[in-house]
Amino acid sequence: MFKEKTIVYTSGTFDMFHYNHLRMINYARSLADILIVGVSTDELVSSYKSKPVIPFNERLQIIEALKTPDIVIPQHTLDHSEIVKKLNIDAFVVGDDWFGKYDYLKDLNVQVFYFPYGTGVSSSNLKKTIHDSYEQSLKEQRQAKPASVKGKED
């Protein structure tokens, strides 16, 4: 059915969707005739790092709203062997923070591209920045709090 089409699969948590997510998906699109994007379930993500801030169904809807993917599917496992065979995947794109992890797909005749995220924006960094900013704000509020309320006798 799709014998002359290049099918590319990319996947991720896509928590707190940001510019680097978009860049990776667009890069995968540039390699594909048909682009399939997998969104990791909360259960999968929780198996190797902290639970996502944005619930799975909302993250799925965000990716579905993009014009880039042809198909968006849930990702239940980090082992892509089955999905590669089932969907006849020709290439897989993932962030370079996973470098080397998916080399086994080459044995299934899948080209693996580790997208260079580079430095800067990541969901983990965003969470840390928000947390640190909140903590700093609380600290400043505590320091600025008056010792007593005006008009109230001690």
Side-chain angles (χ1 to χ4, degrees):
M1 182 167 153
F2 298 115
K3 289 183 183 186
E4 303 301 318
K5 304 284 185 183
T6 300
I7 303 172
V8 176
Y9 180 64
T10 189
S11 64
T13 303
F14 304 116
D15 196 18
M16 300 178 69
F17 193 82
H18 56 73
Y19 181 65
N20 276 339
H21 290 142
L22 184 63
R23 287 179 56 231
M24 185 180 76
I25 291 170
N26 285 342
Y27 175 74
R29 170 85 265 170
S30 75
L31 302 173
D33 292 312
I34 299 170
L35 177 60
I36 302 169
V37 178
V39 179
S40 299
T41 63
D42 291 344
E43 295 77 19
L44 174 60
V45 177
S46 295
S47 73
Y48 63 91
K49 65 179 184 177
S50 61
K51 185 177 177 182
V53 172
I54 309 298
F56 169 73
N57 285 331
E58 293 176 22
R59 292 183 287 112
L60 190 74
Q61 288 178 45
I62 289 167
I63 303 303
E64 286 175 336
L66 299 174
K67 64 181 181 180
T68 317
D70 295 300
I71 302 166
V72 178
I73 61 175
Q75 176 177 272
H76 298 283
T77 179
L78 294 176
D79 183 348
H80 298 321
S81 301
E82 185 179 325
I83 200 80
V84 159
K85 293 172 188 172
K86 186 176 179 180
L87 299 177
N88 298 311
I89 305 296
D90 298 300
F92 175 62
V93 176
V94 68
D96 64 0
D97 51 333
W98 291 92
F99 189 81
K101 169 83 172 148
Y102 293 101
D103 286 351
Y104 69 90
L105 294 175
K106 295 174 184 177
D107 294 338
L108 300 172
N109 296 317
V110 174
Q111 289 184 282
V112 179
F113 297 90
Y114 294 100
F115 182 76
Y117 252 26
T119 57
V121 179
S122 75
S123 295
S124 296
N125 287 345
L126 283 173
K127 289 175 194 176
K128 182 174 180 354
T129 300
I130 291 167
H131 177 268
D132 292 352
S133 175
Y134 178 72
E135 288 292 320
Q136 182 61 34
S137 177
L138 282 178
K139 182 179 177 184
E140 290 169 5
Q141 287 174 16
R142 287 182 190 125
Q143 290 173 345
K145 186 176 180 181
S148 64
V149 177
K150 287 183 183 178
K152 184 177 178 183
E153 296 190 27
D154 293 330

